[in-house]
Amino acid sequence: MSEVILSLRDVAVDYYPAGQPPVAALSNITFDIYRGEKIAVFGPNGSGKSTLLRIIAGLEPPSRGTAKVFGHPVTAAELPAEIRRRIGFVFQNPEDVFAAETVAEEIRFALECRDGEPAAIASAVEQALDEFDLVPLARRRLSRLSGGEQQRVALASVLAGRPEVLFFDEPTSFLDAPSRKEFLQSAAFAETQGNITTVFVTQFRREVLGFNRLLVLEQGRIIYDGPPEDFKPPGTDSVAPMIEINRDWLAAVAAPQVDPLLVVHNLTQTMAVFPGELTCPLSDISFVVRPGERMGIVGPTGAGKSTLAYHLAGLMPKFGGTISISGMAIRSGKKENVRLPVALLFQNPEHHLFADTVAQDVAFGPRNVGVAKDIITAHVERSLKLAGLNPVMFGPRSPFEISGGEQRKAATAGTLAMPAAVYIFDEPTAYLDPQAAGHLEAVLSALAAEGKAVIIISHDLDFLRRTCPRWMIINQGKMIYDGASNDLEHDPRPLNAIGFA
C-alpha cells in the first residue's frame, strides 16, 4: 500500500462568534490520504471544505482530534520548514497571498521562499511564465490584473516550486471557460497526475470527474468518500422559488428612475493600465439599459468587463465619452460620483468586508447614503435574507471567519442594501453552490421586475442564460455584440470569437 502522507483522526473544529453558541465547522472527520492520490472535495457553501483543506495542509490546528502532515502533528505551532517546502497551496483569492508588485517578481518571490538557487530560480520563473501564458503580463502590476489573471499567477507561483502535495481551494472560480479548460489541460497541471498528491476543492461537479477519489461534505461531516462516478447527489431543485421583495424595503432604498436608466456613449478608457503602458482597455463603447432590463456581460479574462463596471459605478478617475445614470452624469475626474444611484458587487467579496461583524458591513453603505436610522436594523436583516444568510446566525459573526461562499453572500447583501436604480454584479456566482446560485437568480429577477436595471458580469454562461435575456460581449476592450442571448444560439460567431462557443 502507498505511503500515508496526510492523516486525520476524529477531527473537529469549532468557532465561537461573539454572543452566540459555538459553531461546528467540522465534526468527527477521519480519513487518510496516500501519496499520489488525486482527491476532489465537494459540498455546499458553509459545509467545511475550506476549513478541512486548511487542517490537512497544516495551516490551522483542529479544536479536537489529531491531524498529521508527513507524520508531523498539526498544532498551533508552524510546521517545520522542511515540511512546508513540500506543500503548495492555492487560495480562493490570490490577493490574500501576493507579496510582490509584478507578475514575474511574484513568481520569483515564491521560489525564493523555497530557498532555491538563484540560477535555478531565474530559469524556473521563465518556464512558469511560458507554461501559463503569462509572458505578455510579466511586467504588469498584480493590482492591475483581472481576477482570472491573478489566479493564473498564483497557480504559476505554486506549481513552479514543484511541491509534493498540492492543495487547491476553488482555483477555477474566477476563470472563464477557455481559461478553466486551458488550466485543467495544461502541461503544468498534467504533472500533478504523476506522483504529486493533489487535493482540489471545487464547486463544479464536472471537475470532480477528473479525480480518482471524491470527498463530499455536508454540515461539517463527510457524507461520501469514494469514486466520483459513483456519487449520487440528493435530488435538489437548482432554482429557488421566486423571492418576494418587500415593498416597504423597496421604498427605503428608492432611487430616482428615468427611462432609460443608463446611457453610455463612446466610453473610452484613458488611464494607463500601469505607468508607461500605452494600452486602451476600453474603446468606443456605447449602449443603453432601461428599467427592468437584465443584461449579461461576457468576455475572456482581461477583456475589460470589470473595468467597465468600475466606470459605470463612477470609480475610474478619467475617461472619454459620456455616462449617465437616472439622468445624472458621471463626470470624469470628479469626486461627487460616489453617490450615484448605482450599486456594485465587486469581483472579490473581500473588497466589501472590513467591519467587525457581517451586520455592520451590510449596514455601512445604506447608513452612509442616508437610509433612515430607525429602519437600518430591519433593512440589514432583509438584505441578509435576500442574499441567503440567516441574520440571527450570521449578523453577529466576523466576516473573516466565514467561508468564501458565505463571504460572497455577505457582500451581496451589502450590495442589495444600497439605494440604487442600477445594480451591477461582478461574478456573483463565484464560490456559490447550485442552490445558492438559484436563490440569487430569483432575487435578481425580482429586482428587475420592480423596475431596477440589473447588469451581471459572469463566466457562468448557464447562469446568464437563465437570468439575462440580453447579452453584451466584450473582447480586448471592444464591444463585439449587444443583443438577445437567444440569437447567439443561431449565430454563435461572437462567442466563437472569444472561445466560448
Side-chain angles (χ1 to χ4, degrees):
M1 182 174 290
S2 300
E3 173 191 1
V4 174
I5 59 174
L6 304 168
S7 179
L8 275 67
R9 293 290 181 272
D10 297 320
V11 162
V13 174
D14 299 322
Y15 293 120
Y16 297 87
Q20 297 292 315
V23 176
L26 294 175
S27 300
N28 302 321
I29 303 294
T30 296
F31 64 86
D32 294 322
I33 295 178
Y34 298 89
R35 181 176 296 278
E37 275 200 292
K38 318 300 174 189
I39 300 175
V41 181
F42 189 72
N45 297 140
S47 60
K49 301 185 301 297
S50 294
T51 301
L52 176 64
L53 206 61
R54 293 179 64 83
I55 294 289
I56 59 179
L59 300 178
E60 178 180 334
S63 303
R64 298 181 300 282
T66 59
K68 293 184 178 181
V69 179
F70 291 108
H72 193 281
V74 176
T75 66
E78 191 174 53
L79 289 173
E82 60 270 20
I83 292 180
R84 296 200 307 273
R85 282 194 290 267
R86 301 163 74 180
I87 295 171
F89 200 116
V90 178
F91 293 87
Q92 286 180 336
N93 183 6
E95 288 186 329
D96 290 342
V97 293
F98 282 158
E101 287 193 11
T102 70
V103 171
E105 289 171 354
E106 178 64 25
I107 296 174
R108 173 177 291 277
F109 176 80
L111 292 169
E112 289 174 344
C113 289
R114 292 178 175 271
D115 300 327
E117 295 294 328
I121 287 177
S123 174
V125 169
E126 294 301 319
Q127 183 178 354
L129 290 170
D130 183 61
E131 284 183 349
F132 284 87
D133 196 24
L134 296 173
V135 174
L137 306 179
R139 295 181 56 251
R140 289 272 297 274
R141 292 184 185 273
L142 295 166
S143 60
R144 297 293 188 186
L145 298 180
S146 69
E149 289 168 337
Q150 288 180 338
Q151 192 63 288
R152 286 165 55 198
V153 174
L155 293 168
S157 300
V158 172
L159 292 174
R162 310 301 178 192
E164 296 178 40
V165 183
L166 286 171
F167 298 102
F168 296 100
D169 194 357
E170 300 189 44
T172 63
S173 291
F174 283 122
L175 299 183
D176 56 40
S179 297
R180 188 182 303 129
K181 181 178 180 181
E182 177 186 357
F183 163 63
L184 294 174
Q185 296 181 353
S186 67
F189 191 76
E191 292 185 14
T192 69
Q193 306 308 303
N195 293 327
I196 299 177
T197 306
T198 305
V199 182
F200 192 99
V201 171
T202 180
Q203 289 287 0
F204 298 106
R205 181 82 194 282
R206 58 186 174 273
E207 289 184 353
V208 308
L209 298 177
F211 295 82
N212 55 30
R213 182 179 174 189
L214 173 65
L215 297 178
V216 180
L217 273 72
E218 187 172 296
Q219 297 182 345
R221 298 176 181 270
I222 294 177
I223 63 169
Y224 179 83
D225 183 354
E229 60 272 16
D230 293 343
F231 174 62
K232 306 297 181 185
T236 57
D237 186 354
S238 62
V239 179
M242 176 60 71
I243 306 300
E244 290 293 336
I245 295 186
N246 186 293
R247 289 183 178 273
D248 292 336
W249 175 80
L250 281 171
V253 298
Q257 295 199 16
V258 298
D259 189 359
L261 286 178
L262 172 63
V263 179
V264 179
H265 182 66
N266 293 337
L267 173 63
T268 299
Q269 169 74 2
T270 58
M271 186 182 73
V273 173
F274 73 91
E277 181 176 337
L278 300 177
T279 60
C280 184
L282 295 177
S283 178
D284 196 25
I285 291 181
S286 299
F287 62 96
V288 169
V289 182
R290 300 186 182 282
E293 274 202 282
R294 289 167 287 153
M295 183 174 75
I297 300 181
V298 179
T301 298
K305 304 183 300 297
S306 295
T307 301
L308 174 59
Y310 299 154
H311 276 292
L312 301 182
L315 300 178
M316 297 301 284
K318 293 182 180 180
F319 59 88
T322 61
I323 307 172
S324 66
I325 297 178
S326 287
M328 302 171 62
I330 298 180
R331 300 184 183 278
S332 178
K334 299 295 183 180
K335 294 182 179 180
E336 60 262 29
N337 291 330
V338 295
R339 292 208 174 181
L340 290 162
V342 57
L344 170 64
L345 174 71
F346 290 102
Q347 189 177 88
N348 292 317
E350 292 86 349
H351 291 173
H352 289 262
L353 308 175
F354 58 89
D356 292 335
T357 70
V358 169
Q360 290 171 357
D361 256 314
V362 176
F364 179 84
R367 179 178 289 119
N368 280 275
V369 295
V371 173
K373 294 181 180 180
D374 59 340
I375 65 170
I376 284 286
T377 299
H379 186 68
V380 168
E381 290 180 357
R382 293 190 189 104
S383 299
L384 286 169
K385 289 178 181 178
L386 282 173
L389 292 177
N390 183 320
V392 175
M393 180 180 298
F394 287 94
R397 293 181 65 180
S398 166
F400 307 106
E401 294 179 351
I402 57 181
S403 73
E406 290 161 347
Q407 286 183 332
R408 170 63 69 186
K409 293 177 183 179
T412 299
T415 303
L416 293 171
M418 291 296 293
V422 177
Y423 288 85
I424 305 170
F425 299 86
D426 195 350
E427 299 293 350
T429 61
Y431 307 146
L432 297 187
D433 58 56
Q435 184 176 4
H439 178 90
L440 177 63
E441 177 185 339
V443 170
L444 300 184
S445 296
L447 273 179
E450 294 292 344
K452 308 297 182 181
V454 177
I455 298 174
I456 304 172
I457 300 169
S458 182
H459 293 134
D460 187 345
L461 299 190
D462 290 336
F463 181 79
L464 288 184
R465 288 187 182 101
R466 296 192 305 268
T467 309
C468 297
R470 175 185 173 189
W471 283 16
M472 176 191 295
I473 299 178
I474 296 178
N475 192 27
Q476 296 181 346
K478 298 181 182 295
M479 184 174 68
I480 65 172
Y481 180 82
D482 182 4
S485 58
N486 289 339
D487 290 348
L488 292 168
E489 297 179 8
H490 306 294
D491 183 5
R493 284 178 296 178
L495 288 174
N496 288 335
I498 59 173
F500 275 41

